[in-house]
């Protein structure tokens, strides 16, 4: 006898008569039918392992027990790599990110930094010989590493880092030192308890001169006992807003000597006699950060997809209040206000992914040409990776919080998974370059391009002036032009502000600081333009069936109008937008909300996120929300006895004390 599978009747109804093929969208997002099959096989392989399941929800464990439990699972996952039905790299990508990996390791993978930064740093910064020495060991997990750059006193301002690596030509060693408390490395993931090696960024001193920060391969702990080596002061920094099983740590050096060969010398060298050989570009040692900024754009998008799926399904199950007097309480998704909360983030997941795909392609192209010594694409890659990392992470964090709020009280439960998702996404605003700082880097590139009439592909529009009449056309292609005018206009306003500040007598750095608000706005408009263009162009260039194209086009239009309505001042200021245009866009926007609303569940279904990955009773496929919330509550240690022992210890004496 086949067991009947429960499906909430409202969700069942939402799924009836879907006008498009959900599987086609799934394949589109995965990058092809075969990729979908591969991903599903991998998910089944990992998620069917009983040993990877939690005995109790993580929330109920102590800080140390959480770490130990997640490390156990992380190691087990590594043992499963060899037999994975997907390739090793594919499996690692899935396990380190917000998708499959987060179904098992809910607050971060203690080994993540090894794959996300340590191995990429070895590959990007090490010579062929250095890679031969350490990469295989790293791949085989004979050593586990992290990336130690940030210090207690400095994260953003890399030139201000204090850790010193002084070359001693007599012994042909570098001496590593933390000259002050603020020089201690502080924050590196996996550093606290997991890693036994690190790529350490330190100021290189040779022949009495500081040559700036460079990467050094440093052993931190004994390979057998895991005890810190002499002169290494290492520990964990304590609980955080999220990512609590990513054991972020601190690290100090008390005159630790390492051989000269442990300077990663792909780009710059120190010869035996202490002669320094410069890199072709002084920013090449920042390459590991560029890689992570690129993958973070993809990662926050997956997190956003999870949040939107949870909130959308829940909003179609949840019935509340009265829409039409006397009628049954409506699904909260039927309130236009709820659609306004959820459909823009739903649409954003597509825009962000398509933009992140473009960035990933640029990263690979630029990297290949840099391997051949051609640095031409580096400024564009830096500009775009900063812009998209900052935009995707900050927008995703706001959207995730909106999704949480859209679930009312139940969204505030830990088990809703919103706190963890938010903890992950909001961290991305800070790590790998604090967003404000990255916006200012983008602005620097935009101003330079506009003034010097020279720059890469992503800023070409700042050089080529728009031809023809500047009318307002509200087709998607017309809207892209509006975004472009805003991006150009805001750069010009920022430049005017800089010039104005100079005229007032400000020195260049002060003129820059006093124009920061305008500069950041210009950088954000540039990033938005890139996402909007990617969304519109990708749909134009893709081979999609008519029904899928229709729904994705509606999402695209909704999204690009949403941002205009959100920042209409910029469009009035720079794009000739008139009151009538805005009113027209407003009515188009609400029409689109209504048009997309009936397909919201079908669209999130097409993300094909398994319940284990969503990790939320609110977002499960079957919509059995209330039963699942009860089941979660039953797991609370406070519910294991009717009367908790604390009653006898504290409450009863109080009740009897006649205060
Ligand atoms: C086997 C492999 C398997 C692969 C598995 C991969 C799996 C991936 C899957 C999922 C991923 C999930 C990810 C989630 C986990 C993430 C964990 C995150 C851990 C976090 C780590 C960190 O945070 S590390 C520390 C990061 N720190 C920073 O980012 C510091 C920020 N500060 C800076 O970057 C710089 O200081 C700053 C850019 C602010 C300025 O630098 P400064 O030296 O002061 O430079 P300046 O004088 O201003 O010069 C500017 C000049 O240089 C150009 N420039 C600056 N930076 C760069 C660069 N990076 N590249 C190129 N060029 C650069 C700049 O444009 C200027 O140029 P000009 O204008 O002068 O021409
Ligand atoms: C979860 C997490 C994981 C991390 N993992 C790692 C890791 O693995 N390895 C590692 O090395 N580091 C790691 N970090 C550190 C991270 O890279 C830094 O925290 C980040 O680069 C910001 O630097 P900061 O903390 O010094 O902030 P600060 O630079 O002190 O920022 C404080 C404020 O000052 C502002 N500000 C600073 N400079 C400027 C400026 N020039 N103009 C305008 N405003 C400015 C910022 O916008 C911000 O508002 C991690 C951090 C987090 C939160």
């Amino acid at each position: 006898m086949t067991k009947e599978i429960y499906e909430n009747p409202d969700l069942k109804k939402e799924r009836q008569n879907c006008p498009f093929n959900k599987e086609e969208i799934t394949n589109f997002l995965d990058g092809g039918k075969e990729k979908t099959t591969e991903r599903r096989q991998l998910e089944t392989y990992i998620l069917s392992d009983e040993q990877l399941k939690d005995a109790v929800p993580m929330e109920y464990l102590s800080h140390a027990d959480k770490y130990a439990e997640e490390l156990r699972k992380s190691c087990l996952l590594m043992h499963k790599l060899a037999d994975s039905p997907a390739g090793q790299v594919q499996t690692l990508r899935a396990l380190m990110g917000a998708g499959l990996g987060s179904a098992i390791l809910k607050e971060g993978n203690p080994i993540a930094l090894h794959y996300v930064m340590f191995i990429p740093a070895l590959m990007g910064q090490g010579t062929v010989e250095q890679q031969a020495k350490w990469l295989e060991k790293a791949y085989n997990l004979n050593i586990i590493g992290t990336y130690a750059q940030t210090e207690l006193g400095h994260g953003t301002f890399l030139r201000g880092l204090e850790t010193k690596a002084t070359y001693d030509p007599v012994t042909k060693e570098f001496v590593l030192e933390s000259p002050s408390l603020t020089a201690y490395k502080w924050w590196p993931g996996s550093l606290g308890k997991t890693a036994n090696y690190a790529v350490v960024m330190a100021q290189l001193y040779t022949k009495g001169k500081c040559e700036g920060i460079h990467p050094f391969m440093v052993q931190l702990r004994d390979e057998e006992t895991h005890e810190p080596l002499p002169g290494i002061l290492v520990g964990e920094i304590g609980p955080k807003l999220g990512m609590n099983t990513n054991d972020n740590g601190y690290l100090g050096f008390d005159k630790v000597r390492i051989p000269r060969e442990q300077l990663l010398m792909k780009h710059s060298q120190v010869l035996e006699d202490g002669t320094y050989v410069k890199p072709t570009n002084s920013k090449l040692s920042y390459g590991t950060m560029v890689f992570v900024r690129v993958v973070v754009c993809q990662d926050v998008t997956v997190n956003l997809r999870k949040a939107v799926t949870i909130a959308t399904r829940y909003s179609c199950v949840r019935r509340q209040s009265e829409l039409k007097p006397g009628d049954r309480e409506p699904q909260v998704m039927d309130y236009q206000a709820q659609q306004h909360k959820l459909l823009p983030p739903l649409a954003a997941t597509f825009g962000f992914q398509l933009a992140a795909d473009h960035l990933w392609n640029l990263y690979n192209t630029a990297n290949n040409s840099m391997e051949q010594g051609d640095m031409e694409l580096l400024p564009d890659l830096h500009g775009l990776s900063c812009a998209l990392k900052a935009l995707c992470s900050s927008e995703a964090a706001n959207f995730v919080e909106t999704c949480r709020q859209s679930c009312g009280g139940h969204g505030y439960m830990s088990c809703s998974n919103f706190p963890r998702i938010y903890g992950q996404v909001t961290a991305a605003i800070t790590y790998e370059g604090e967003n404000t700082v990255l916006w200012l880097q983008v602005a620097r590139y935009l101003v330079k391009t506009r003034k010097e009439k020279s720059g890469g592909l992503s800023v070409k529009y700042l050089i080529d002036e728009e031809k023809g009449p500047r009318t307002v056309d509200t087709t998607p292609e017309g809207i892209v032009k509006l975004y472009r005018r805003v991006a150009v206009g805001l750069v010009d306003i920022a430049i005017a502000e800089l010039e104005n500040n100079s005229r007032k007598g400000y020195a260049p750095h002060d003129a820059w600081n006093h124009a920061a608000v305008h500069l950041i706005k210009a950088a954000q408009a540039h990033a938005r333009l890139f996402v909007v263009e990617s969304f519109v162009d990708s749909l134009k260039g893709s081979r999609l069936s008519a029904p899928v194209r229709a729904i994705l086009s509606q999402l695209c239009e909704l999204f690009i109008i949403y941002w205009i309505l959100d920042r209409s001042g910029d469009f009035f200021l720079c794009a000739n937008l008139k009151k009538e245009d805005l009113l027209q866009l407003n009515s188009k926007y609400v029409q689109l909300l209504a048009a997309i609303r009936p397909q919201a569940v079908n669209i999130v279904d097409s993300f094909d996120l398994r319940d284990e990955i969503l990790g939320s009773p609110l977002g499960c496929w079957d919509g059995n929300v209330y039963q699942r919330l009860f089941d979660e509550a039953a797991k609370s240690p406070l519910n294991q006895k009717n009367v908790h022992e604390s009653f006898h210890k504290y409450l009863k004496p109080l009740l009897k004390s006649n205060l």
Side-chain angles (χ1 to χ4, degrees):
M1 210 171 75
T2 51
K3 199 176 148 210
E4 191 142 329
I5 297 172
Y6 173 82
E7 187 180 2
N8 170 279
D10 283 323
L11 280 190
K12 197 172 193 168
K13 213 161 149 208
E14 296 283 336
R15 291 179 173 128
Q16 277 162 4
N17 307 319
C18 176
F20 54 84
N21 180 357
K22 296 187 207 181
E23 185 72 7
E24 189 184 336
I25 299 187
T26 309
N27 297 160
F28 176 67
L29 294 174
D30 280 327
K33 209 175 156 121
E34 302 72 34
K35 290 261 164 36
T36 302
T37 310
E38 222 175 71
R39 175 180 55 75
R40 285 183 182 149
Q41 281 171 348
L42 177 60
E43 287 173 0
T44 304
Y45 170 65
I46 299 291
L47 296 173
S48 57
D49 189 329
E50 288 300 318
Q51 288 178 281
L52 288 168
K53 301 206 163 112
D54 293 331
V56 285
M58 282 292 124
E59 285 78 12
Y60 299 125
L61 299 186
S62 71
H63 186 57
D65 288 348
K66 256 189 212 175
Y67 168 72
E69 177 57 9
E70 296 302 70
L71 186 64
R72 176 190 74 78
K73 288 190 275 172
S74 181
C75 294
L76 197 64
L77 282 173
M78 296 301 112
H79 284 296
K80 290 177 75 77
L81 267 183
D83 295 328
S84 167
Q88 278 232 350
V89 172
Q90 206 42 42
T91 308
L92 283 168
R93 286 186 75 106
L95 292 180
M96 297 306 141
L100 177 59
S102 73
I104 309 290
L105 301 160
K106 304 194 172 61
E107 278 214 50
N109 185 339
I111 307 184
L113 257 283
H114 178 72
Y115 289 108
V116 180
M117 295 201 82
F118 180 70
I119 290 183
L122 274 178
M123 290 168 69
Q125 308 292 326
T127 59
V128 173
E129 296 74 32
Q130 289 175 320
Q131 291 187 22
K133 182 167 177 193
W134 289 304
L135 256 189
E136 197 180 327
K137 281 186 169 185
Y139 275 126
N140 293 343
L141 290 168
N142 302 128
I143 61 175
I144 294 182
T146 181
Y147 181 81
Q149 180 174 288
T150 307
E151 296 171 357
L152 199 47
H154 291 94
T156 294
F157 185 56
L158 300 180
R159 282 174 285 147
L161 293 182
E162 295 175 75
T163 304
K164 281 172 91 171
T166 309
Y167 186 62
D168 176 353
V170 178
T171 58
K172 301 187 178 45
E173 290 170 323
F174 284 100
V175 184
L176 290 171
E177 279 172 280
S178 310
S180 63
L181 182 66
T182 49
Y184 266 63
K185 295 294 173 190
W186 194 272
W187 268 118
S190 314
L191 172 63
K193 291 289 152 193
T194 312
N196 55 3
Y197 278 75
V199 168
V200 174
M201 299 299 281
Q203 301 287 358
L204 190 161
Y205 286 81
T206 183
K207 297 195 166 183
K209 190 173 166 221
C210 179
E211 301 290 355
I213 64 162
H214 286 71
F216 295 85
M217 177 72 164
V218 184
Q219 182 176 354
L220 307 177
R221 292 173 179 269
D222 183 276
E223 285 186 26
E224 287 302 317
T225 63
H226 209 57
E227 286 294 333
L229 295 183
I232 301 278
L233 304 131
V234 64
E236 194 246 349
I237 62 172
K240 301 154 300 214
L241 188 150
M243 303 181 78
N244 274 304
T245 48
N246 227 311
D247 52 316
N248 297 79
Y250 65 80
L251 170 66
F253 298 101
D254 183 10
K255 295 197 170 47
V256 173
R257 286 182 167 265
I258 56 169
R260 181 186 68 95
E261 294 79 8
Q262 286 182 214
L263 163 65
L264 295 180
M265 293 205 235
K266 183 168 179 173
H267 304 300
S268 48
Q269 293 90 42
V270 169
L271 306 182
E272 285 194 358
D273 69 349
T275 304
Y276 179 70
V277 182
K278 276 187 180 169
T280 46
N281 182 313
S282 67
K283 302 301 174 201
L284 282 172
S285 62
Y286 293 179
T288 317
M289 290 183 282
V290 177
F291 167 72
V292 184
R293 285 169 195 155
V294 171
V295 293
V296 162
C297 297
Q298 303 164 351
D299 205 55
V300 292
T301 304
V302 176
N303 264 317
L304 181 56
R305 254 189 235 154
K306 284 163 56 174
V308 173
T309 303
I310 296 166
T312 301
R313 287 191 181 148
Y314 175 75
S315 297
C316 290
V317 169
R318 185 69 164 176
R319 289 181 171 271
Q320 189 88 240
S321 308
E322 226 181 29
L323 191 56
K324 194 169 159 208
D327 260 11
R328 186 181 175 198
E329 287 179 284
Q331 294 163 285
V332 293
M333 195 67 183
D334 283 335
Y335 293 110
Q336 189 184 68
Q338 189 80 349
Q339 294 157 21
H340 178 52
K341 282 180 206 162
L342 295 183
L343 299 185
L346 174 62
T349 62
F350 289 91
F352 292 169
Q353 164 144 358
L354 294 167
D357 288 350
H358 280 161
L359 176 60
W360 179 243
N361 292 339
L362 170 66
Y363 176 79
N364 285 314
T365 313
N367 235 23
N368 288 341
S369 51
M370 286 193 289
E371 286 291 333
Q372 313 304 318
D374 177 0
M375 298 297 140
E376 201 186 324
L377 293 176
L378 182 59
D380 215 38
L381 175 62
H382 172 54
L384 203 54
S385 56
C386 288
L388 281 192
K389 183 274 194 186
L391 183 72
C392 295
S393 59
S394 53
E395 292 281 315
N398 288 336
F399 280 145
V400 167
E401 172 59 5
T402 305
C403 288
R404 179 193 73 74
Q405 290 176 19
S406 80
C407 295
H410 297 323
Y412 195 67
M413 292 296 294
S414 287
C415 71
S416 73
N417 210 10
F418 284 117
R420 285 200 204 102
I421 298 174
Y422 184 73
Q424 296 268 351
V425 174
T426 197
I429 290 178
T430 306
Y431 66 56
E432 226 51 75
E434 201 281 325
N435 280 358
T436 301
V437 171
L438 296 190
W439 287 130
L440 290 168
Q441 283 289 307
V442 177
R444 183 180 165 120
Y445 182 44
L446 301 180
V447 168
K448 199 169 163 185
T449 302
R450 186 78 175 148
K451 282 178 143 180
E452 296 176 6
K453 299 275 173 235
S454 142
L457 209 58
S458 77
V459 287
K460 209 165 166 290
Y461 70 93
L462 289 173
I463 305 163
D464 306 335
E465 285 297 337
E466 185 189 336
K467 309 258 180 338
R470 291 169 68 86
T471 48
V472 171
D473 159 11
T474 54
T475 62
E477 291 72 21
I479 289 178
V480 171
K481 278 192 187 163
L482 300 184
Y483 275 88
R484 203 171 289 135
R485 280 182 217 155
V486 167
V488 176
L490 291 181
V491 173
D492 285 344
I493 288 172
I495 291 176
E497 183 74 358
L498 285 170
E499 287 167 356
N500 194 25
N501 289 344
S502 300
R503 273 194 300 277
K504 282 192 216 157
Y506 286 121
H509 56 272
D510 279 331
W512 181 264
N513 188 31
H514 284 87
V517 171
H518 293 295
L519 290 163
I520 290 167
K521 281 191 81 166
Q524 291 173 339
H526 165 72
R528 287 203 169 86
L529 168 65
F530 188 82
V531 171
V532 164
E533 247 177 341
S534 299
F535 206 163
V536 172
D537 291 351
S538 302
L539 291 189
K540 255 196 287 178
S542 60
R543 280 201 264 132
L544 295 167
S545 67
V548 165
R549 180 179 298 283
I551 189 72
L552 295 190
S553 301
Q554 283 181 330
L555 285 166
C556 176
E557 228 181 325
L558 177 93
F559 187 56
I560 64 185
I561 294 176
Y562 169 79
W563 263 347
I564 297 185
L565 301 181
D566 201 39
R567 321 210 127 214
S568 52
D570 295 342
F571 288 79
F572 279 118
L573 197 62
C574 308
N576 253 352
L577 201 76
K578 305 273 183 311
K579 183 179 163 192
E580 310 77 68
D581 302 319
L582 192 68
L583 292 174
Q584 195 193 333
L585 287 171
N586 243 322
S587 57
K588 204 160 187 179
Y589 176 73
V590 292
Q591 280 165 23
L592 283 163
L593 288 181
I596 296 168
R597 151 68 188 99
Q599 302 314 329
V601 167
N602 288 319
I603 300 165
V604 299
D605 281 355
S606 73
F607 293 158
D608 196 26
L609 292 164
R610 287 176 55 143
D611 284 352
E612 297 95 321
I613 293 174
L614 294 172
S616 168
L618 307 187
C620 280
W621 184 90
D622 65 8
N624 200 3
V625 170
Y626 301 116
Q627 184 59 52
R628 286 176 188 275
L629 279 169
F630 245 97
D631 294 346
E632 287 301 320
K635 295 175 190 165
S636 168
L638 288 179
N639 287 332
Q640 303 318 308
K641 282 189 199 161
N642 278 335
V643 179
H644 194 252
E645 46 270 28
S646 56
F647 170 79
H648 300 287
K649 268 166 94 176
Y650 309 119
L651 200 52
K652 194 171 175 186
L654 180 72
L655 290 169
K656 300 287 170 204
S657 63
N658 294 326
L659 278 181

